[in-house]
Structure formats: structure tokens, C-alpha cells
């Protein structure tokens, strides 16, 4: 944890260092999916924010690793490995492990870059090891690495621990039982014998590099399991960049075995080649002829407002925006608009304002735009002067100037005063299509999935009152083969295999919800019905989020009853009152924190910490962990609930406007402790989109 | 591997349909395009924009081409804001010029969000031999970044220039600009009435140069 804190403190200094390092050759990934040599680590870091998925195979060992350059100096990895014969002949180990590496020293003219790393520091410990490593470029194309390893990285050529000068406690490494895994076992770190490793990498061309290393890993267990014969500590490898995103490599390992690997990298900072998207241009601003603003003749026309409303509604609809409220007088137009198309709310608001310059009579100077969430909640008021639109359309710094001149305030009270557009309600939408439901990391199969068809419908008779439901019918799949639960606490999530087997067809949700504004800065939601595949009941939520605040606080209380395995209308006997108090904080430097504290589905009390690195293009990558009063021994494998989560908006990949996002939680194992109810339409994410600092973060798109 | 990512994406968001139209299938295909960078090739406008077709179009017409993208568009003048004239193409993109000098694009991808042309306009029209231009673009995180250029100008009169609709006598203004990392060369063919009838202008790092030919004033 200290590493993480040190990393956060160092954000600024490392940003500068990162720029300097980019001049040197890009690191290649090792068989553990981190920047490094072949089997050994190096002191290098990937470019900031780089995400790498790698797969390596040799001698019955397959490692699939997801690495993320969390900060310029801090690398984190999650790995899923399969090691043949590990548990018994013919019985492989499916192992999940986490790594961290912190580069604490930058490369200088004479001094090397240095890093400290923990391999498999949470998990069952098959790869548990620690290292300190230094890497130095010699010229532009040669890198030399040398390091000291502990744990597994001292199994070849180990000598007595040099850290023992700090105390005899470093002499021996406490035995870490494979046990349940999942916990941080800091009392073994850097203890026991140490060993030296090292190697060299030569970048022959821009795409091709050769590596040689001396490994301090003896692969004791794998050798005794008969996976390969160990003839030499020397490894040789070749690495080739097929494209700037894909690297492939081949290694000759331990004197008699050939291994292969492939690494795919993706940088959330540069998600596609078309920055700013290739979606259609916005309507050009229409400039009023001088003097025309004085003409108020139109206000005498009886049906003027009606005609303007109709034209505006049609024009907005053609660009994926829904006019829900409208009023106009001689100087001011007020609109409530829902955004169905644009990921960036500022882009949406800019487009509404552009359309208004085209359609409103010349005397209307003030545009009051109230954006509404997807669930009909008015969130903020953005007031824009029409003359600013005219003046700044081509202003060199028009983005910043228009932001500075726009006024953003709370929509409470304002939204209600705008008459509703009659044709906007009721809203009815439906969908029909295929679905994939996947379960990752089942001990007997890394990926299990069901494929089928689903139908959904949504009905909103008036703003904020939403009825919706979805039915799924499986066509093929093997999620019912997930291993049966061995949980000793209430089985609130671990019966996924039975739900998968019996829910065919299944009603995944069927709810009625009301979204409302109980007061200034306050947002409310009440949802009732079949809330999610496993639970039904009633859910109530209240959120406090001032329009210009980085902080938000929320509270949610639910009464939930476990649904029948067939996921139709029946319930089982288990019911629980569950809920959380939540605090949200947007740090402003790309990091977002959320804490939920309260009672979870199994009746356990505890708290969840979620840390996300959010990119202004909508991509976010984060990690979460939950500790509750369920003891690790009762929780079972993994000891407590934790995982990674990734959100990628489709728009950043396609370059086309869309609000669809691909979101995925990646958990090493899903069990019953620290399990939260899943309810659609939780308030925070939709509300903050139209608040500060999110609006400002996306304002570069105002004129797009 | 790009393909693998696309299939992965396709798995995650497979085709579907509903009241909101097009749906996710189209988006997934778009995603594939965005990643691979492939664009369908339409008919050559240099062949289809015949004098009759040009005459039948309302108002002013310009042909723009992006050679690095292999893209072409016929654009029509739609509106004016001060000295900036906006032209729109059928494909939904717009381009804007300040006295013939590119000041903004929308919908091309890697768009020119704005251009500070304070001294450039005067220099192109012969008042000055040096100017600074500042371009603004969106980066991969949707933040505005700027790139400034120092430009030098030279002009040669009495040049024959050829556009789709015929030849004309022009003053060829050459604009050579350097920023910290790149150098660009813009060309403007200005006719006797002081109108830029033909040009080659740099849009941005990905779109490259844009060629323009004014077909009908």
C-alpha cells in the first residue's frame, strides 16, 4: 500500500520523467506480461496508461496477463495462469495472481532506471517473488538489466539475504500456505535467500529485438512435475512488432524448451486514429443580421411558440436529441433536452445551442438549456448567450472562452417551470437481439459463456417514471457447468450455475422506477420489481451532488428477496435489508474514488473501495475491494471480494457518436461475501455527466 | 490482432435491433473501420462533376479532396460568420475558410477545430512576408491542444492554374510553415479578382493536406 501512496505523491515528478524516457526505445513485454526480459523483469515502465494483454506459453505453462501502467512509474498486472500437473499428474493449477512494479529511479546519463516489484502478491502464491532491478541503455539500441530476486526468483543460485543486515528476520522466508489465497502476505516479502539475475536486450531494428538472460528461477516444482528438463539458466528470445499494437515473440528457455508469446497493447489516451470522431458536423451557427434583434413582430403572432417548438423538436430529433420542454419569450428560450447520441455532454449542449441560433427569432438572446438524464431527471442549467455563439464560432480559443462565458447552475426549480412538449411523452422503446453472458476464471474452464437472444422494452409515460423489462432465452452455452457452490455462508451469488441452468427463459429484470428531484442538489430514485436476475424487491436511493462539486454523497436502502432459480416470477425464502452510504470524489487529475459502506446481500457489514483512473474520452480502468465481517476462512477462495473494472465507450473505438459503453467487472472469483445488489439506474453516474468537473473535462467538444 | 479485437468487440456488443434504429451492429462495423482505417471508395467526383451537374447545383460549389484519405467531396456554401464562410458536403462534414484560407473542419476526423490566422490572411494577400498561425485540434482524450507555426511567404504572378472547370491566370502564393516537429507547405492560386480559386492546405496530423478547387463562385 505504501507503494501506491508513494506513486500518487509522485504523479507530477514522474510525468516529467516519462516525457524524457519516451526518447528511449519502447520496452518489450516478458512471459509474465510486464515490461522486461524473457522470464525476468526489468526496471522499465510501459508508456503511461498503456494497457497490455499478453499470452505466453511454454512447457505446460500458459500465462494470460492484463497489465496497466497505472501511473507513469507504477505498473499493475492481473494474471491468469494454467500450470499442468501442478496439483497432481493430469490435474493443472488454474492460478490468479496480481503484480505491482514501482520505478523509483529514472534513468540518467550514467545511472540506471531502478524499480522494485512484487510478483503474485495477492493470490495463492505459486509465483510469489519480489525483486529490485536496474536497467540502463548503452547507446540507443542496447539495454542491460541486472537485479536481485527473492522468493521464487531466488530458487536458482540463491545466497543469504543481503537485507539481513537490517535484522535476522530477513534470514528465513516464512512458509506461505497455498491456502485460500487472495490476501496480501507482506510478512514474507524480501525474506529468505536472494539471487541475482540479469540480461541484455538488443534492438536490431525498429521492430525486431533480441534478448538473452540469466534466470534466477529454477522452476523447481514444474521440473519435479515432469513438465520439462532444466539444462541451463540461460534463456534466449526474439521479439517482433507486427504492428504498433501487436508484438509476437519466441523464446528458447532453460536449455531445451521453446516458448511463444504475443502481446496486444492499447493506450486509452490514443484510442483510435480519428481524434474528435468522424461523426457528422454540427449545424453552422446562423448569425443574425445587425439590427434584427430589435424586431419583436413575431411575438404578436399567435402560434409563433407552437411553430418554433415543432421546428426545434424535429431538428433536434434528426441529430439524436429529444426536446422535452420548451418555452420562449421575446428575449429568452428555455429548453429541456435529452441526449440519446453524444458521449460528451458539452458536445450535446453545443449542438443544441447551434440549432437554436438557426431557429430562434433574432430577438431571442438568451439560451437556457436544461439537459435531462436518460431517466428523465433534469440535472443542470447551462445558460449561453446567443451573441457569444456568434462571436466565438471561429474564435481561435473559442472552446475555453465559451466555457468561461457559459453559466452552469442547478436545474432544481427551473426545469419544472418549462412547459412539457406534448409529443415527447409517453416514450416507448424496445429492442431485440442476441446476448452473450460470460463467466471468467472458473477453475475448470477459464471462460464460460452463454449465447442467446433477448428482448427488452421500456415505457416512460411521464418524465422520470420508467417501466422496463428484459427477457432472455439461451441458445447455447456452458455456464450451467460452473462448479457448484461450496460456500458456507448464505449463498447470495455463488449459485450462479443453478441460475444459469434453470433460467431458460429468464426475466433478467422487470421494474418500475421513479426518478425525481426532492430538493436543491438532491436526486432521488425508487425502484420496485424484479431488480436483477437473482433478486427482487424495493430499492430507494438519495444522492446529494451540487452542480459544481467534486464530492457527492449518497444513501441507498433495499429490501431484497432472492428469486427462484428459474428467474420467472417466484421467490425463495431468503430476504435481506441491504444498503450503503456512499461517498464519491473526483480528484481532478484523472482519479476517481468511491467508498460504499453498509450491509451487503449476505447480511454482512463492511465497505468497498473503488479507485478508477478515468480518461476524458470516457475510458476508465479501476480496481475495487470489499472487506466485510465475513472472516476470510468463511469467505472461501480469494478471502475477500475484489477485482478490476473497465469501461470503454463504443464511440472512442468507432469514431461515431454513441452513448453505448462496454463495461466489465473482472473478478478472480465471485463468492458470497461483500456482494452488492445490482439495480439499474443508480443516480451518480448519470447525474455527474452534466455537472462539474465532467462538463469542463469534455468542453473541448463544445464546438464539435 | 486488430481483427481479434474486433471479433472480441463484436462478441461483446453483437448485432441487435430495436426502436432506436441502426443499433449496435452498425456500430461494431464502424468500430472495425475506425480501427483498421478502411473507407469505402465512392465514384470519382472529377468524372461525375460535369459542367451540367455543376450548373444545376444551387449557389457556390467547391471540390475538396483529401489525398491521404483518398476522400473527395463536393461542398456547397451554406453560411457566413464575419469573414468565415462555411461549406457543407453531402456526407455531413463541413469546412470553413477565411478569405480562402482554411479555418476549421468538422466531421473529417482529427479535425482542425480552429485556426488563428490573424497575420496569415494579410500575408497571403501580399501584406507581409512572415506570420504566425496557431492550429487547434482535439487529442485522443478530447482535449484541445494547439500547435503553432512560423510561416514565410513568397508569391509568383502570371502562373497558369488548372481546375476542373478550366484554366485561369493566377498569382501562386507559397506558404512555408514550421512548428517544433513538422513543416508544411501550403499553396494558394489567387485569381485576378483576388479570390483563392485553388489551394493545397494542411488540415492536421492525420488528415494531411486538403486540395480545394472553386468550381462556381
Amino acid at each position: 500500500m505504501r507503494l501506491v501512496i508513494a506513486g500518487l505523491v509522485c504523479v507530477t515528478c514522474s510525468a516529467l520523467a516519462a516525457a524524457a524516457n519516451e526518447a528511449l526505445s519502447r520496452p518489450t513485454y516478458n512471459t509474465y506480461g510486464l515490461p522486461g526480459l524473457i522470464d525476468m523483469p526489468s526496471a522499465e515502465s510501459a508508456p503511461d496508461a498503456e494497457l497490455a494483454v499478453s499470452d505466453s506459453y511454454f512447457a505446460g505453462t500458459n500465462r494470460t496477463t492484463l497489465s496497466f501502467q497505472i501511473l507513469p512509474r507504477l505498473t499493475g498486472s492481473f494474471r491468469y495462469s494454467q500450470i499442468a500437473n501442478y496439483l497432481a499428474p493430469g490435474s493443472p493449477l488454474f492460478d490468479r495472481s496480481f503484480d505491482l512494479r514501482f520505478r523509483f529511479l529514472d534513468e540518467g546519463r550514467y545511472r540506471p532506471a531502478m524499480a522494485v516489484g512484487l510478483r503474485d502478491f495477492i493470490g495463492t502464491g505459486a509465483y510469489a517473488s519480489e525483486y529490485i532491478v536496474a536497467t540502463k541503455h548503452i547507446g540507443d539500441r542496447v539495454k542491460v538489466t541486472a537485479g536481485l530476486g527473492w522468493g521464487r526468483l531466488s530458487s536458482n543460485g540463491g545466497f543469504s539475504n543481503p537485507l539481513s543486515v537490517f535484522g535476522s528476520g530477513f534470514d528465513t522466508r516464512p512458509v506461505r500456505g497455498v491456502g485460500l489465497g487472495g490476501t496480501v502476505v507482506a510478512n514474507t516479502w524480501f525474506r529468505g535467500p536472494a539471487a541475482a539475475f540479469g540480461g541484455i536486450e538488443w534492438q536490431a531494428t525498429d521492430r525486431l529485438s533480441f534478448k538473452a538472460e540469466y534466470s534466477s528461477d529454477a522452476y523447481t516444482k514444474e521440473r519435479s512435475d515432469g513438465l520439462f528438463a532444466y539444462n541451463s539458466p540461460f534463456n534466449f528470445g526474439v521479439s517482433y512488432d507486427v504492428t504498433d499494437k501487436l508484438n509476437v515473440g519466441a523464446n528458447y528457455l532453460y536449455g531445451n524448451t521453446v516458448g511463444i508469446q504475443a502481446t496486444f497493447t492499447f493506450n486509452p489516451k490514443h484510442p483510435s486514429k480519428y481524434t474528435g470522431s468522424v461523426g457528422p458536423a454540427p449545424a453552422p451557427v446562423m448569425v443574425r443580421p445587425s439590427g434584427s434583434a430589435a424586431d419583436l413582430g413575431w411575438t404578436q403572432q399567435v402560434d409563433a411558440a407552437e411553430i418554433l417548438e415543432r421546428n426545434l423538436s424535429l431538428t433536434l430529433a434528426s441529430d439524436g436529441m429529444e426536446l422535452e420542454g420548451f418555452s420562449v419569450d421575446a428575449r429568452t428560450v428555455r429548453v429541456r433536452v435529452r441526449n440519446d447520441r453524444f458521449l460528451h455532454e458539452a458536445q450535446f449542449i453545443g449542438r443544441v445551442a447551434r440549432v437554436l441560433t438557426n431557429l430562434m427569432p433574432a430577438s431571442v438572446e438568451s439560451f437556457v438549456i436544461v439537459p435531462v438524464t436518460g431517466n428523465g431527471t433534469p440535472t443542470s442549467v447551462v445558460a449561453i448567450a446567443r451573441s457569444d455563439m456568434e462571436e466565438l464560432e471561429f474564435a481561435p480559443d473559442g472552446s475555453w472562452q465559451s466555457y468561461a462565458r457559459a453559466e452552469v447552475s442547478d436545474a432544481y426549480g427551473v426545469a419544472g417551470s418549462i412547459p412539457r412538449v406534448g409529443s415527447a411523452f409517453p416514450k416507448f422503446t424496445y429492442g431485440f437481439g442476441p446476448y452473450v453472458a460470460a463467466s471468467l476464471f472458473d477453475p475448470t474452464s477459464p471462460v464460460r459463456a452463454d449465447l442467446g437472444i433477448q428482448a427488452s422494452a421500456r415505457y416512460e409515460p411521464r418524465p422520470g417514471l420508467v417501466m422496463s423489462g428484459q427477457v432472455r432465452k439461451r441458445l447455447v452455452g456452458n455456464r450451467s457447468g460452473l462448479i457448484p457452490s461450496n460456500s458456507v455462508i448464505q449463498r447470495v451469488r455463488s449459485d450462479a450455475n443453478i441460475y444459469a441452468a434453470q433460467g431458460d427463459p429468464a426475466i433478467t429484470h422487470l421494474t418500475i422506477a421513479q426518478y425525481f428531484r426532492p430538493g436543491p442538489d438532491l436526486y432521488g430514485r425508487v425502484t420496485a420489481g424484479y431488480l436483477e436476475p437473482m433478486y427482487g424487491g424495493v430499492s430507494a436511493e438519495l444522492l446529494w451532488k451540487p452542480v459544481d462539486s467534486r464530492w457527492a454523497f449518497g444513501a441507498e436502502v433495499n429490501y431484497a428477496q432472492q428469486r427462484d432459480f428459474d428467474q420467472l416470477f417466484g421467490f425463495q425464502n431468503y430476504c435481506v435489508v441491504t444498503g450503503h452510504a456512499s461517498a464519491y470524489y473526483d480528484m481532478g487529475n484523472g482519479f476517481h474514488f468511491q467508498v460504499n459502506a453498509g450491509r451487503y446481500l449476505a447480511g454482512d457489514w463492511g465497505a468497498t473501495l473503488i479507485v478508477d483512473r478515468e480518461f476524458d474520452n470516457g475510458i476508465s480502468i479501476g480496481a475495487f475491494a470489499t472487506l466485510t465481517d465475513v472472516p476470510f476462512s468463511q469467505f472461501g477462495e480469494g478471502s475477500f471480494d475484489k477485482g478490476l473494472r473497465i469501461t470503454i465507450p463504443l464511440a472512442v473505438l468507432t469514431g461515431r457518436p454513441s452513448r453505448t459503453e462496454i463495461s466489465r467487472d473482472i473478478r478472480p472469483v465471485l463468492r458470497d461475501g461483500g456482494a452488492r445488489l445490482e439495480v439499474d439506474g443508480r443516480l451518480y453516474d448519470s447525474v455527474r455527466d452534466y455537472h462539474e468537473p465532467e462538463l469542463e473535462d469534455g468542453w473541448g467538444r463544445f464546438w464539435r | 490482432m486488430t481483427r481479434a479485437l474486433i471479433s472480441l468487440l463484436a462478441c461483446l456488443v453483437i448485432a441487435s435491433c430495436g426502436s432506436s434504429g441502426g443499433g449496435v451492429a452498425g456500430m461494431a462495423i464502424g468500430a472495425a473501420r475506425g480501427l483498421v482505417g478502411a473507407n469505402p471508395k465512392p465514384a470519382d467526383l472529377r468524372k461525375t462533376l460535369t459542367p451540367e451537374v455543376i450548373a444545376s447545383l444551387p449557389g457556390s460549389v467547391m471540390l475538396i479532396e483529401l489525398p491521404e484519405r483518398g476522400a473527395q467531396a463536393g461542398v456547397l456554401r451554406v453560411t457566413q460568420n464575419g469573414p468565415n464562410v462555411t461549406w457543407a458536403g453531402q456526407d455531413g462534414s463541413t469546412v470553413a475558410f477565411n478569405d480562402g484560407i482554411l479555418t476549421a473542419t468538422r466531421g473529417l476526423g482529427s479535425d482542425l477545430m480552429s485556426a488563428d490566422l490573424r497575420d496569415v490572411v494579410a500575408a497571403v494577400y501580399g501584406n507581409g512576408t512572415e506570420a504566425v498561425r496557431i492550429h487547434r485540434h482535439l487529442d485522443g482524450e478530447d482535449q484541445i491542444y494547439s500547435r503553432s507555426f512560423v510561416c514565410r511567404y513568397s508569391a509568383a504572378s502570371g502562373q497558369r492554374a488548372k481546375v476542373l472547370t478550366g484554366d485561369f491566370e493566377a498569382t501562386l502564393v507559397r506558404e512555408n510553415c514550421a512548428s517544433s516537429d513538422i513543416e508544411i507547405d501550403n499553396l494558394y492560386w489567387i485569381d485576378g479578382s483576388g479570390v483563392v480559386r485553388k489551394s493545397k492546405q494542411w488540415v492536421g496530423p492525420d488528415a494531411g493536406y486538403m486540395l480545394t478547387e472553386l468550381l462556381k463562385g
Side-chain angles (χ1 to χ4, degrees):
Chain A
M1 199 60 208
R2 190 163 296 165
L3 289 176
V4 179
I5 294 160
L8 290 175
V9 172
C10 261
V11 178
T12 350
C13 49
S14 24
L16 297 170
N21 265 4
E22 272 167 21
L24 299 171
S25 59
R26 202 170 100 170
T28 53
Y29 284 79
N30 65 12
T31 62
Y32 284 85
L34 276 92
L37 291 162
I38 300 164
D39 237 9
M40 298 293 111
S42 72
E44 297 163 286
S45 305
D48 183 37
E50 183 162 283
L51 202 57
V53 181
S54 70
D55 192 84
S56 77
Y57 179 84
F58 87 101
T61 293
N62 189 78
R63 301 181 190 128
T64 305
T65 310
L66 176 70
S67 283
F68 179 48
Q69 193 64 37
I70 304 168
L71 292 163
R73 292 169 181 278
L74 183 68
T75 320
S77 302
F78 170 63
R79 185 177 306 108
Y80 183 76
S81 326
Q82 180 179 353
I83 311 174
N85 296 352
Y86 197 93
L87 302 176
S91 173
L93 173 70
F94 292 90
D95 184 60
R96 291 151 291 225
S97 55
F98 290 88
D99 287 16
L100 275 180
R101 176 188 299 172
F102 181 69
R103 181 168 50 82
F104 58 87
L105 189 68
D106 293 326
E107 185 170 344
R109 190 166 168 196
Y110 297 111
R111 95 188 162 212
M114 293 193 73
V116 56
L118 302 171
R119 195 177 263 181
D120 194 2
F121 74 106
I122 304 176
T124 47
Y127 289 130
S129 45
E130 304 81 42
Y131 54 86
I132 292 174
V133 61
T135 298
K136 177 82 188 80
H137 282 76
I138 299 171
D140 287 344
R141 298 195 170 270
V142 175
K143 283 179 280 195
V144 179
T145 293
L148 268 186
W150 286 262
R152 185 170 167 136
L153 279 172
S154 67
S155 54
N156 170 43
F159 44 78
S160 68
N161 192 347
L163 294 179
S164 295
V165 297
F166 298 114
S168 58
F170 284 98
D171 285 343
T172 48
R173 192 175 177 91
V175 176
R176 174 173 163 189
V178 170
L180 299 165
T183 51
V184 176
V185 200
N187 66 347
T188 66
W189 293 352
F190 301 101
R191 282 159 204 260
F197 62 85
I200 187 164
E201 178 174 349
W202 171 51
Q203 194 172 356
T205 74
D206 285 351
R207 290 167 173 251
L208 182 69
S209 64
F210 296 94
K211 308 179 189 182
E213 72 175 12
Y214 172 84
S215 168
S216 61
D217 186 346
Y219 278 82
T220 317
K221 171 79 175 137
E222 285 85 344
R223 283 153 67 186
S224 70
D225 290 341
L227 295 185
F228 69 105
Y230 177 99
N231 297 332
S232 156
F234 292 99
N235 297 328
F236 303 92
V238 56
S239 164
Y240 181 73
D241 286 338
V242 181
T243 69
D244 61 350
K245 291 199 164 80
L246 174 66
N247 174 281
V248 294
N251 305 314
Y252 184 68
L253 293 147
Y254 302 103
N256 77 344
T257 309
V258 172
I260 50 169
Q261 65 181 85
T263 307
F264 180 77
T265 54
F266 172 78
N267 197 316
K269 290 177 158 185
H270 317 285
S272 99
K273 64 184 275 199
Y274 298 132
T275 58
S277 99
V278 288
V285 170
M286 201 62 73
V287 180
R288 294 166 291 179
S290 61
S292 62
D295 180 5
L296 295 174
W298 67 275
T299 55
Q300 303 306 311
Q301 190 182 333
V302 180
D303 56 353
E306 203 178 302
I307 294 167
L308 291 170
E309 176 186 308
R310 192 178 332 118
N311 290 344
L312 183 60
S313 181
L314 290 171
T315 311
L316 290 173
S318 70
D319 204 9
M321 302 178 277
E322 292 177 72
L323 183 68
E324 296 187 355
F326 177 84
S327 75
V328 66
D329 59 35
R331 301 290 172 206
T332 305
V333 61
R334 295 179 175 81
V335 291
R336 272 174 67 138
V337 196
R338 195 177 297 201
N339 167 18
D340 295 330
R341 178 166 298 172
F342 301 99
L343 184 68
H344 290 276
E345 291 68 26
Q347 181 174 4
F348 154 68
I349 289 162
R351 289 192 173 222
V352 173
R354 282 170 177 269
V355 169
L356 290 172
T357 67
N358 280 267
L359 297 180
M360 289 303 116
S363 69
V364 177
E365 166 62 18
S366 158
F367 297 164
V368 176
I369 300 168
V370 179
V372 172
T373 69
N375 285 322
T377 313
T379 48
S380 56
V381 179
V382 183
I384 295 171
R386 183 176 191 163
S387 41
D388 288 341
M389 293 298 292
E390 295 170 344
E391 181 191 336
L392 301 176
E393 184 187 16
F394 291 99
D397 200 13
S399 169
W400 172 250
Q401 285 173 291
S402 62
Y403 173 72
R405 295 188 199 179
E407 286 172 30
V408 182
S409 55
D410 187 8
Y412 181 74
V414 178
S417 68
I418 304 173
R420 198 182 300 168
V421 170
S423 59
F425 292 92
K427 288 183 200 295
F428 178 70
T429 55
Y430 63 92
F432 182 78
Y435 76 90
V436 177
S439 301
L440 297 176
F441 313 130
D442 178 57
T444 55
S445 174
V447 180
R448 287 183 179 275
D450 285 342
L451 178 69
I453 50 170
Q454 66 183 17
S456 60
R458 182 181 187 282
Y459 181 67
E460 189 177 349
R462 55 186 174 78
L465 178 63
V466 179
M467 289 160 235
S468 75
Q470 178 172 276
V471 187
R472 282 182 167 182
K473 171 84 182 93
R474 183 173 67 239
L475 296 176
V476 290
N478 58 2
R479 280 178 71 237
S480 56
L482 288 166
I483 56 160
S485 171
N486 61 0
S487 188
V488 296
I489 63 171
Q490 182 66 39
R491 294 183 180 177
V492 293
R493 284 288 180 218
S494 60
D495 280 333
N497 63 320
I498 312 179
Y499 278 98
Q502 296 190 17
D504 186 26
I507 299 167
T508 53
H509 79 273
L510 183 61
T511 54
I512 178 165
Q514 175 72 57
Y515 300 82
F516 55 100
R517 294 290 312 263
D521 301 331
L522 290 176
Y523 299 81
R525 170 185 63 82
V526 176
T527 311
Y530 299 91
L531 302 170
E532 52 139 305
M534 296 187 191
Y535 292 88
V538 185
S539 170
E541 183 185 1
L542 187 68
L543 176 76
W544 176 82
K545 171 76 178 74
V547 75
D548 56 354
S549 169
R550 296 186 177 282
W551 285 97
F553 297 96
E556 180 182 289
V557 179
N558 314 288
Y559 171 82
Q561 185 161 4
Q562 193 160 14
R563 293 176 61 187
D564 275 345
F565 293 127
D566 63 12
Q567 293 158 79
L568 295 175
F569 296 99
F571 286 97
Q572 305 185 35
N573 287 330
Y574 182 70
C575 54
V576 62
V577 174
T578 169
H580 296 86
S582 298
Y584 312 84
Y585 181 59
D586 184 334
M587 266 185 87
N589 59 357
F591 282 85
H592 186 275
F593 293 86
Q594 180 178 347
V595 175
N596 304 322
R599 191 168 189 235
Y600 292 83
L601 276 175
D604 46 337
W605 291 84
T608 303
L609 172 65
I610 307 169
V611 181
D612 291 301
R613 180 162 180 193
E614 298 182 329
F615 299 88
D616 288 335
N617 55 25
I619 297 177
S620 103
I621 297 166
F624 58 89
T626 302
L627 288 174
T628 71
D629 57 5
V630 173
F632 289 171
S633 58
Q634 282 185 33
F635 182 91
E637 187 186 354
S639 300
F640 63 95
D641 188 59
K642 61 193 161 300
L644 307 173
R645 61 181 203 172
I646 296 181
T647 298
I648 301 180
L650 210 47
V652 304
L653 300 177
T654 61
R656 301 277 167 189
S658 158
R659 290 186 63 79
T660 306
E661 294 181 330
I662 304 164
S663 271
R664 179 100 216 166
D665 287 353
I666 302 170
R667 279 186 169 82
V669 59
L670 176 60
R671 295 189 70 89
D672 299 315
R676 196 179 185 203
L677 188 70
E678 295 295 330
V679 191
D680 263 358
R682 284 199 167 114
L683 297 167
Y684 179 69
D685 282 330
S686 60
V687 169
R688 73 184 283 233
D689 281 351
Y690 295 94
H691 280 194
E692 300 295 10
E694 289 285 282
L695 269 183
E696 181 184 352
D697 290 346
W699 205 269
R701 286 241 185 190
F702 181 81
W703 293 104
R704 175 65 186 87
Chain B
M1 197 67 189
T2 308
R3 256 161 235 273
L5 183 73
I6 293 160
S7 8
L8 175 76
L9 201 72
C11 287
L12 290 168
V13 286
I14 333 176
S16 53
C17 61
S19 51
S20 41
V24 184
M27 295 297 299
I29 294 162
R33 291 220 184 102
L35 289 164
V36 184
N39 279 317
K41 183 92 181 170
D44 185 359
L45 286 175
R46 287 191 169 274
K47 298 208 172 74
T48 55
L49 274 176
T50 59
E52 297 75 45
V53 172
I54 293 167
S56 72
L57 291 168
S60 306
V61 184
M62 186 163 36
L63 173 66
I64 63 171
E65 294 172 294
L66 293 171
E68 282 183 33
R69 297 266 183 83
Q72 287 181 315
V75 295
L76 301 179
R77 183 190 161 116
V78 286
T79 185
Q80 180 162 5
N81 183 351
N84 303 290
V85 178
T86 300
W87 303 68
Q90 264 191 315
D91 61 345
S93 55
T94 59
V95 288
F97 298 87
N98 176 344
D99 290 319
I101 302 162
L102 187 68
T103 180
T105 71
R106 292 292 184 276
L108 304 181
S110 314
D111 281 309
L112 179 63
M113 293 304 290
S114 70
D116 190 341
L117 303 173
R118 211 167 301 164
D119 305 321
V120 172
V121 178
V124 167
Y125 287 91
N127 301 319
T129 55
E130 254 190 43
V132 170
R133 53 159 76 221
I134 301 169
H135 291 185
R136 285 184 171 80
H137 296 274
L138 287 168
D139 67 13
E141 289 185 87
D142 293 305
Q143 302 300 299
I144 298 274
Y145 72 93
S146 62
R147 186 194 291 270
S148 51
F149 295 88
V150 176
C151 306
R152 287 172 205 290
Y153 299 82
S154 62
S157 55
Q159 305 283 312
R160 263 340 263 180
K162 192 172 181 302
V163 295
L164 193 57
T165 45
D167 291 11
F168 65 99
E169 177 147 324
T171 299
L172 171 59
V173 177
R174 189 179 294 272
E175 179 187 37
N176 174 260
C177 305
S179 74
S180 57
D181 57 341
I182 48 172
E183 193 174 320
I184 57 174
D185 270 303
N186 292 339
L187 301 171
Y188 309 86
W189 285 266
I190 301 173
D191 70 7
S193 58
V195 173
V196 175
R197 296 259 305 266
K198 177 177 174 172
S199 73
K200 176 192 167 201
Q201 305 188 49
W202 197 70
V203 179
D206 178 68
Y209 284 94
M210 173 184 288
L211 308 180
T212 71
E213 289 184 16
L214 187 61
L215 303 180
K216 189 164 76 165

